[in-house]
Amino acid sequence: TIFRGARLMEIGSGLGGTASFCARQRPDIYVHGVCFSGDCYSLVTGRNVKSPKELRERLTFDLAPECGVPEHELRYLPNAFDAIIVRDNLMHLDLEDKPVILQKVNRLLRPGGKVIVVDYGLGKPLDEVSSDLKEHIKENGYHLLHPKEEKALLERWFEVEEIDGRI
């Protein structure tokens, strides 16, 4: 449960849909979105300027190129957020970079805070998927994990809860 006055971060906010939705649904929380694309950042900040003042005071965005992986990215104060959403972003990170982002998320999260991870994964080992899917994954530079692998990765920093039988 997100409490009144909570600070929510969305990592990889893209066009800001999730961050904006959360801020509009909960006028009693602060939401900060982090964009990885300069183009998306330009669009989302342009939209946010046109939002009502009350919303702009609670909804902010930053740009963190390279998915926030470099050491100088995502340099917010430790324990700054009560909840962090990582949606459809881990799939874009190399296997070596996934732990870097998750470690940063852990540092940014207040004790007792929650992380929500929504991402694409592989239902079976890569060598068992169709050649069309393998080609699609390769062409788009996806780095997908099997749910058990992703769970093991997340458990290095977080207590993992299953929802509807999914991690």
Side-chain angles (χ1 to χ4, degrees):
T1 304
I2 302 288
F3 57 87
R4 182 178 183 84
R7 297 185 57 79
L8 169 71
M9 172 184 262
E10 183 189 14
I11 295 181
S13 59
L15 295 175
T18 300
S20 180
F21 176 80
C22 291
R24 290 177 194 276
Q25 290 297 115
R26 291 290 306 270
D28 59 339
I29 68 171
Y30 300 90
V31 181
H32 183 70
V34 178
C35 301
F36 297 148
S37 158
D39 291 337
C40 286
Y41 177 71
S42 295
L43 287 169
V44 76
T45 54
R47 285 183 186 166
N48 200 35
V49 167
K50 297 175 186 174
S51 297
K53 181 181 180 203
E54 180 278 328
L55 184 63
R56 288 192 320 264
E57 291 174 345
R58 297 180 305 97
L59 177 61
T60 58
F61 293 93
D62 271 340
L63 175 62
E66 300 180 53
C67 300
V69 171
E71 184 178 338
H72 63 279
E73 298 291 349
L74 297 180
R75 301 288 290 189
Y76 304 96
L77 293 174
N79 307 318
F81 296 93
D82 300 291
I84 298 176
I85 298 172
V86 182
R87 185 174 158 256
D88 300 340
N89 286 294
L90 292 178
M91 64 189 271
H92 297 288
L93 298 175
D94 293 334
L95 297 177
E96 302 81 26
D97 292 338
K98 293 177 194 295
V100 174
I101 288 296
L102 294 173
Q103 187 173 17
K104 287 182 178 191
V105 167
N106 185 52
R107 182 183 62 80
L108 296 173
L109 196 64
R110 288 185 179 149
K114 298 286 184 183
V115 176
I116 301 164
V117 176
V118 179
D119 207 28
Y120 290 90
L122 286 174
K124 52 187 168 183
L126 187 59
D127 60 346
E128 294 179 21
V129 302
S130 72
S131 58
D132 289 341
L133 180 56
K134 282 182 195 174
E135 186 61 28
H136 178 73
I137 291 168
K138 183 179 177 182
E139 284 177 8
N140 290 284
Y142 297 149
H143 303 281
L144 305 177
L145 297 175
H146 186 276
K148 289 180 183 178
E149 294 172 309
E150 187 153 282
K151 182 178 181 183
L153 178 64
L154 292 168
E155 286 178 330
R156 290 170 61 182
W157 294 279
F158 312 105
E159 183 179 322
V160 176
E161 296 179 30
E162 292 189 24
I163 299 175
D164 297 331
R166 300 179 210 171
I167 61 163

